Amino acid sequence: MLPHRLKAARLKAGLSQQKLGILAGIDEATASTRMNQYERGIHTPDFALACKLAEVLNIPACYFYTVEDGLAEFIYMFQKIIILFKIIRNIE
């Protein structure tokens, strides 16, 4: 996982480190510390937790592992477009 991708996605979602950690199932007492360590690259979440973080942030897990910045942004925006299409489809 690329730590800066996690931080960027969290900030775009408007979540604190603690809130994201709790929503992903991390114990409330350690959520902020663990998320901070993940974002700084001190520790790396296992794949299952990375997938849970992606689910909470409404993005594909592959976003966290994409090396190229342009491709990562494309993945992020593509997911948002899919969400918008689903919303539009439900309105019609």
Side-chain angles (χ1 to χ4, degrees):
M1 170 183 270
L2 297 173
H4 65 281
R5 298 258 185 264
L6 176 58
K7 183 174 183 176
R10 177 183 62 79
L11 293 174
K12 286 179 182 178
L15 295 173
S16 67
Q17 290 176 333
Q18 182 169 15
K19 183 68 173 176
L20 175 57
I22 291 168
L23 291 172
I26 298 173
D27 182 74
E28 188 174 338
T30 60
S32 181
T33 301
R34 285 182 57 189
M35 292 306 302
N36 183 275
Q37 291 173 347
Y38 296 150
E39 287 185 4
R40 291 182 15 214
I42 294 171
H43 295 289
T44 302
D46 63 24
F47 187 69
L49 180 55
C51 289
K52 183 63 180 172
L53 291 167
E55 180 183 325
V56 170
L57 293 167
N58 251 339
I59 57 172
C62 64
Y63 170 82
F64 294 136
Y65 299 94
T66 304
V67 175
E68 297 83 5
D69 291 336
L71 181 57
E73 191 59 28
F74 178 82
I75 290 167
Y76 181 87
M77 295 307 297
F78 185 74
Q79 180 67 19
K80 299 308 171 197
I81 291 168
I82 290 171
I83 292 168
L84 286 174
F85 277 125
K86 287 179 181 178
I87 292 169
I88 291 169
R89 182 176 281 163
N90 287 334
I91 292 172
E92 296 175 344

